[in-house]
Amino acid sequence: RRKRLAGEGLFDAERKQLLPFMPRVVGVVTSPTGAVIRDIIHRISDRFPLHVVVWPVRVQGETTGAEVSAAVRGFNALPDGGEIARPDVIIVARGGGSLEDLWGFNDEAVVRAVADSDIPVISAVGHETDWTLVDYAADVRAPTPTGAAELAVPVKAELQAQLASLGARLRGCMSRGLERRRQGL
């Protein structure tokens, strides 16, 4: 299956989209009751609190492929400015497990939905050593669900510090420029 899908170009680097620098809304496709969603929301809240929309799915079992692909397509179908906020980035996440537990993320429907997504997708299935076909189709693969949250949003405090530094440099440049003009007169 991997060779066939790769042959169709679904894993090609040219298809990969860049993640938005500062998303307003993060969509998460995962189980609403597991530790994964709590970890993602906690990490996003720590870094840069913003709107998170969860599309609940089963992340194990026979229906995983159909549910996850429907969720990715569903997020893409949301209109801008609609009742439910359309995400700027999607995280497809599941905690670690056996090969059998993660098998739903090798489903062809999931791979196609992720590859077709107009919204950039971060794959965060399993742990660092776990690989599924959705990891190849996603725009970015995170080693863990917490890592996906870190890739999705910047750190607000770092951005504020950078803006303060740039503001100080700008004020210094303006001051020096005015002083040079004053001395020239």
Side-chain angles (χ1 to χ4, degrees), residues 5-127:
L5 295 172
E8 292 180 34
L10 297 181
F11 307 151
D12 290 352
E14 300 82 42
R15 301 181 102 247
K16 308 293 182 189
Q17 303 176 75
L18 295 176
L19 299 180
F21 173 68
M22 200 171 324
R24 294 166 308 178
V25 179
V26 175
V28 182
V29 177
T30 193
S31 169
T33 59
V36 167
I37 190 59
R38 288 191 305 273
D39 291 347
I40 290 172
I41 290 172
H42 182 262
R43 185 54 55 107
I44 288 174
S45 295
D46 282 351
R47 292 173 66 87
F48 200 118
L50 50 79
H51 191 70
V52 176
V53 179
V54 179
W55 195 299
V57 296
R58 287 186 193 93
V59 293
Q60 185 174 329
E62 292 180 16
T63 62
T64 299
E67 290 184 35
V68 172
S69 61
V72 171
R73 293 193 189 283
F75 271 140
N76 276 273
L78 291 173
D80 286 326
E83 190 175 322
I84 298 173
R86 187 175 198 265
D88 300 305
V89 63
I90 298 171
I91 297 173
V92 175
R94 187 212 190 280
S98 68
L99 178 63
E100 293 79 17
D101 293 342
L102 304 177
W103 197 253
F105 295 92
N106 288 319
D107 189 286
E108 187 170 335
V110 175
V111 172
R112 292 190 183 282
V114 168
D116 292 342
S117 180
D118 291 328
I119 302 169
V121 177
I122 301 171
S123 170
V125 177
H127 296 299

